[in-house]
Amino acid sequence: MTPEEIAGTLTELFGTSAVGALAPGEWQIDTSNFRLLVLLSEDNTWLRVLLPIVSIQEAQPFLEQFLEANFDDTQEVRYALYEGVIWGVFQHNSGTLVSADLSNAINRLVSLHQAGLDNVFNRLIESRIRQIIQAAKQQGQSLQATMQSLERFYAEGMMGEINQTSQGREEALTAWRRQLERLWNEG
């Protein structure tokens, strides 16, 4: 893609008011929700699209899940760390890049931005549930016995919020039951 084609694709996606040229081969897209950077290499052979996701302070507990997502989920975009920020990044040879692929990559980056920590938090929770299932199975517990243990932990206040209502406890246990049933036979 030429710089003109890149600028045209960005304008199609975001409109002329959101797209600003910072310098030749550099664009910044400002929306009410994010700031996206699009950068061509000095020789115009590589394009990089960057979107900040979250600070490293917020991301620290989930670094393993971010890397797992790079392997399993992010497709043509990646999470990266630079200057204390987790970024969504897309890099491609500009000579073989087509407008549809650039649009798809930008849409995926925006999706990562919108998800923030949600996806990696859910990955972490799922891995913890798998650990609970593995421990329960090693102890010879059935799904029902594991669920009864969790219910007892909630009833005794070992799990849940300090001031959790009975409705809140039931909602939490329903979520536990759903996840345990979904994952029980996988491991």
Side-chain angles (χ1 to χ4, degrees):
M1 291 184 77
T2 65
E4 295 75 24
E5 292 170 319
I6 294 167
T9 300
L10 296 173
T11 301
E12 285 177 27
L13 289 171
F14 299 105
T16 55
S17 63
V19 178
L22 301 174
E26 297 180 8
W27 300 266
Q28 180 172 297
I29 292 81
D30 284 308
T31 73
S32 59
N33 297 319
F34 59 83
R35 175 175 287 159
L36 181 93
L37 297 172
V38 180
L39 309 169
L40 270 172
S41 63
E42 284 186 28
D43 63 2
N44 287 353
T45 58
W46 279 93
L47 179 74
R48 180 182 290 175
V49 183
L50 306 158
L51 183 59
I53 306 294
V54 65
S55 73
I56 188 63
Q57 290 85 3
E58 292 177 84
Q60 193 70 43
F62 309 104
L63 291 180
E64 182 178 334
Q65 287 72 35
F66 277 112
L67 289 175
E68 286 175 355
N70 276 350
F71 190 80
D72 287 335
D73 298 331
T74 58
Q75 297 179 4
E76 74 272 24
V77 300
R78 295 284 177 262
Y79 287 110
L81 173 63
Y82 183 69
E83 292 189 352
V85 175
I86 297 289
W87 295 79
V89 179
F90 170 72
Q91 296 183 112
H92 201 286
N93 181 308
S94 58
T96 58
L97 184 62
V98 296
S99 180
D101 290 338
L102 177 58
S103 295
N104 289 338
I106 289 172
N107 288 333
R108 185 162 304 283
L109 288 171
V110 170
S111 176
L112 292 179
H113 179 269
Q114 289 170 341
L117 292 175
D118 290 349
N119 292 343
V120 291
F121 176 77
N122 291 338
R123 277 181 99 82
L124 177 64
I125 295 302
E126 188 170 299
S127 75
R128 297 294 196 261
I129 292 170
R130 288 178 195 280
Q131 289 173 348
I132 289 169
I133 290 170
Q134 183 180 15
K137 286 182 174 182
Q138 285 175 347
Q139 295 173 7
Q141 286 187 0
S142 66
L143 172 60
Q144 188 58 33
T146 303
M147 205 50 227
Q148 287 172 348
S149 295
L150 289 170
E151 289 169 358
R152 188 181 75 244
F153 292 154
Y154 272 89
E156 294 173 0
M158 294 171 58
M159 291 181 72
E161 303 290 324
I162 292 175
N163 297 322
Q164 190 170 33
T165 65
S166 61
Q167 179 183 350
R169 183 172 53 244
E170 284 306 311
E171 288 172 0
L173 288 169
T174 298
W176 271 105
R177 186 174 295 110
R178 190 171 38 249
Q179 293 299 326
L180 286 172
E181 288 172 350
R182 181 176 70 86
L183 299 171
W184 190 264
N185 291 323
E186 287 184 17

